[in-house]
Amino acid sequence: MIHFVLLISRQGKVRLTKWYSPYSQKERTKVIRELSGLILTRGPKLCNFVEWRGLRVVYKRYASLYFCMCIDEDDNELEILEIIHHYVEVLDRYFGSVCELDLIYNFHKAYFILDELLIAGELQEPSKRTVARLVAAQDSLVETAKEQTSSITNIIAQVANFTIKMLHKGYGPWGSNALHLESLFLVDVCTRLVDQH
Amino acid sequence: MARDLAPEVERLLQFRDPNIRKKAALCSIRIIKKVPDLAENFINPAASLLREKHHGVLITGVQLCTDLCKVSSEALEYFREKCTEGLVKTLKDMANSPYAPEYDIAGITDPFLHIRLLKLLRILGQGDADASDCMNDILAQVATKIESNKNAGNAILYECVGTIMSIEDNGGLRVLAINILGRFLSNRDNNIRYVALNMLMKAITVDAQAVQRHRATILECVKDSDASIRKKALDLVYLLVNESNVKPLTKELIESLEASDQEFKGVLTAKICSLVEKFSPEKIWYIDQMLKVLSEAGNFVKDEVWHALIVVISNASDLHGYSVRALYRAFQTSTEQETLVRVAVWCIGEYGDMLVNNVGMLDIEEPITVTESDAVDALEVSIKRLNSDLTTKAMALIALLKLSSRFPSCSERIKDIILQNKRSFVLELQQRSIEFNCILQKHQNIRSALVERMPVLDEATFSGRRAGSLPTSVSTSTGTARNLPNGIAKPAAAPVADLLDLSSSDAPAPSSSGGDFLQDLLGVDLSPASAPPGTSQPPKAGTDVLLDLLSIGTSPPAQSSSSASNILSSIQDDKASLVNLNGLASLTSLSPNATSASPAPMMDLLDGFGPSPQKKEENGPAYPSLVAYESSTLRMTFNISKQPGNPQITLIQAIFTNLSPNVYNDFLFQAAVPKFLQLHLDPASSNTLPASGNGSIIQSMKVTNSQHGKKSLVMRIRIAYKINNKDVLEEGQVSNFPRDL
């Protein structure tokens, strides 16, 4: 089982972490610090496996990023190298020639894709096409959701405008005080919604 | 929460959407890891998942089954019976399937699924011959067909080899697997080599011969530039060593020691030392190898290791001259290795005369001229060196004392050197320097007797004691007496009591022959029944000497140096069995302060052994009462009886009698026994002991001997009481129990 996944840049900046075993916050920072020191100092020709605290860490360097996965003693290390490559290929297919900048600006997408690939430390989908399809489906969900919220904003904005006009003209089926309060409330909500979008 | 959600997850395992199914499968893995009891519910759904077509669901299903088998043995049985053929068929279809673009990686269809299936087959086939038979064909096919120029192929081959190694024996397949591993080992890719070394470690248990064939390649890997590979190769070499190949392998390892970096040196040194110790065919080879290791990496060598080296050197009497000369030579070249300096200092002190007179030259040695002052120079250097630590300096002081008696011409110079430490800030050095100075000035007559050759330290007991655990915490850690009986020259301290500690009595009757002086000195088994068979004179003489020592103690404890010299003159007569208390001191670091703060002089403690240590108690249900402990102020008598049905349990009634004219208040008796005995103390009759035997305190105890018949009872006692509100503490040991208690 994979215990955690770390993506570290050459300068030691952490781009992505995903933990499949319970580690407390302090332990996590400690682990990251230790592994950064261990892996970043390794030369290029050395093998991709490091023994660490009774576990094995498999890492692979792609351009300026180190992809590290920590596994148990009895797992197949070469397979994990394949899984890392699988992930990178899916990222590549999704972003189109992925680079580190893509991962920095779209880190939430990177997490989506990782979640489609690994759950609870195990591989769930060997086919890149399926993963790409699922992530695309998720993306479209996000889009529609966005549109929906923006459409609500439009409606409320319209209502607010209408109520304000009414205020100015002094009309209203309710008492003027209540109308005053209601309209103030509506204006407040609208301005907030407008600020958000 | 896992229990609550389990039924939901189970239901979702059969959902129509494959994406949900695969996620549910992985979720179930987590659930059964958390709550193994729920595994039964998942067995059936998991089995149905194995028949899926969708690769994602298939992979997760296989993974679920693997984890189910690990968690529950009935799941294992179920899958073994029902699913093995299905799995083999699936693997066969996959291996033979045509190009499938969706799952293709490097020309192989879905290597992930290959690997997972192989893993599951390994678990199913382990320990079961029928299942293993089913798999043979497909394993052979995979092992031969898969190409190994890409990582995916290698991953599958690695898994395949692992499976072949774990399932039931099949000669042909095993050969195939070892060949693949051999190919991996000579691959230039570091990853592959690492993986091969890993698998070879597991293969050693299965087929050691085949692994031996690859020894040369593995030795190459120990010198590899990659740290992970080096470490793995070292572990593997350690497993490969046996009596026949220990010499060349050790040579290789020591060579790589020179080339390795700091962190690896520590690990490598430890491994080399334990290898050399386990497999050394002859002593001279052992000493040579250890010398090389010490010169290279002495600072990484642990204390026990160089202690063991000293024991071996002292045992190899014909090699004394050789060792001391070799050490002297090594000392000239590499003084920064602390342990080397220590061992050299000890040897020069002990065998300095051999060094100067070239005694015992072996054919292979080159002649070397060392004068007496050269030897003293060497010791002086080791004291004055900036980075010598306390142990080294202390050992050097002792060695100087020994040399002062062996080389009388250098006496003055040695005295000066010793005096320089008189004002040292470290108590140990100051103490030693003052005492030795005292010996040099005032006790010329006994000096040579004091620093005679050390008695040979018994190897068997030493290694036995190192290996086994020491029963009571009274003794200190490994090996030879770590105490500093500043003994005769400084009578007031009573650390001799520590010499007679309990632990050594538990070392089983030594299997090796003589040289048991240490055992006798430290041990409690003074009765002849425990004297080692086949040795008569030396140990007897040893015990006699000890008895003489003890019998003198019946006189009032005159601690003047004159009585000390009386004792020693009697010892001087008996050279063969000399008790070299000072010599023992050379192996210690700091002298543990004797726990007894008592004024009760040491001689009195030893009095307790006076009565009848040689007498063998009768074997009979009626045990005579014995005086277990007697000092000038107190007597303790034991009345022993046995319970009729239970031979292991002994009931002892202790009677305390006050022999002094003072009343003792707050009387407290404590006892400690070694691990194979259990002691139960009842409350005492009172805690005030009237004076001059006008009354007594009675306390009962029950001792259970788990090694009844093999080992006799021993007990270490401590008695505390108050005289006029002043605390008094007496300690002693009871060793004259009848043999068959």
Side-chain angles (χ1 to χ4, degrees), chain A residues 11-122:
Chain A
Q11 287 79 28
K13 287 214 175 251
V14 178
R15 296 293 172 212
L16 188 150
T17 66
K18 184 84 187 178
W19 306 84
Y20 297 110
S21 276
Y23 282 86
S24 75
Q25 196 54 40
K26 247 184 7 178
E27 279 171 22
R28 288 183 189 187
T29 40
K30 194 153 158 250
V31 164
I32 294 175
R33 210 176 35 231
E34 270 180 40
L35 280 182
S36 307
L38 202 53
I39 291 179
L40 293 173
T41 46
R42 274 172 81 79
K45 293 275 188 254
L46 304 182
C47 77
N48 295 46
F49 316 121
V50 206
E51 311 253 338
W52 173 79
R53 281 199 206 173
L55 302 168
R56 230 166 257 159
V57 177
V58 182
Y59 72 93
K60 195 140 187 245
R61 183 173 164 209
Y62 287 90
S64 57
L65 263 187
Y66 284 88
F67 286 69
C68 315
M69 294 196 179
C70 174
I71 53 172
D72 290 324
E73 286 276 316
D74 50 2
D75 281 343
N76 187 340
E77 297 94 353
L78 299 174
E79 188 198 7
I80 301 293
L81 280 175
E82 280 304 314
I83 293 181
I84 294 179
H85 193 68
H86 190 45
Y87 181 45
V88 170
E89 282 200 353
V90 174
L91 282 175
D92 195 47
R93 202 186 267 220
Y94 181 76
F95 286 109
S97 279
V98 66
C99 61
E100 192 180 339
L101 233 48
D102 286 323
L103 292 182
I104 297 175
Y105 286 124
N106 298 308
F107 58 90
H108 48 291
K109 296 275 172 57
Y111 276 107
F112 280 159
I113 296 175
L114 187 59
D115 284 336
E116 279 304 322
L117 212 56
L118 294 172
I119 282 190
E122 304 287 354

Side-chain angles (χ1 to χ4, degrees), chain A residues 140-158:
Chain A
S140 57
L141 270 178
V142 171
E143 289 302 319
T144 45
K146 266 198 201 165
E147 278 168 34
Q148 275 187 354
T149 43
S150 55
S151 59
I152 293 177
T153 323
N154 289 336
I155 294 172
I156 293 182
Q158 282 173 353

Side-chain angles (χ1 to χ4, degrees), chain B residues 5-81:
Chain B
L5 291 174
E8 271 297 309
V9 176
E10 223 182 294
R11 190 176 61 80
L12 287 172
L13 273 175
Q14 280 131 5
F15 202 74
R16 49 186 164 72
D17 185 359
N19 296 321
I20 305 282
R21 284 209 296 275
K22 71 187 187 198
K23 291 186 203 266
L26 290 180
C27 187
S28 339
I29 296 182
R30 268 300 161 102
I31 292 181
I32 55 175
K33 275 195 191 158
K34 260 288 174 193
V35 188
D37 307 330
L38 293 171
E40 300 128 8
N41 311 348
F42 290 100
I43 295 182
N44 281 322
S48 63
L49 281 181
L50 288 178
R51 292 185 277 270
E52 291 274 342
K53 290 285 175 256
H54 186 275
H55 279 221
V57 185
L58 195 46
I59 277 193
T60 53
V62 168
Q63 194 58 43
L64 176 57
C65 295
T66 316
D67 279 296
L68 271 174
C69 293
K70 283 192 201 150
V71 161
S72 130
S73 53
E74 44 175 84
L76 180 60
E77 287 306 315
Y78 181 84
F79 288 122
R80 207 175 254 167
E81 282 172 62

Side-chain angles (χ1 to χ4, degrees), chain B residues 576-593:
Chain B
S577 58
L578 197 56
V579 170
N580 191 345
L581 299 174
N582 270 343
L584 289 172
S586 69
L587 286 182
T588 70
S589 44
L590 290 172
S591 83
N593 290 319

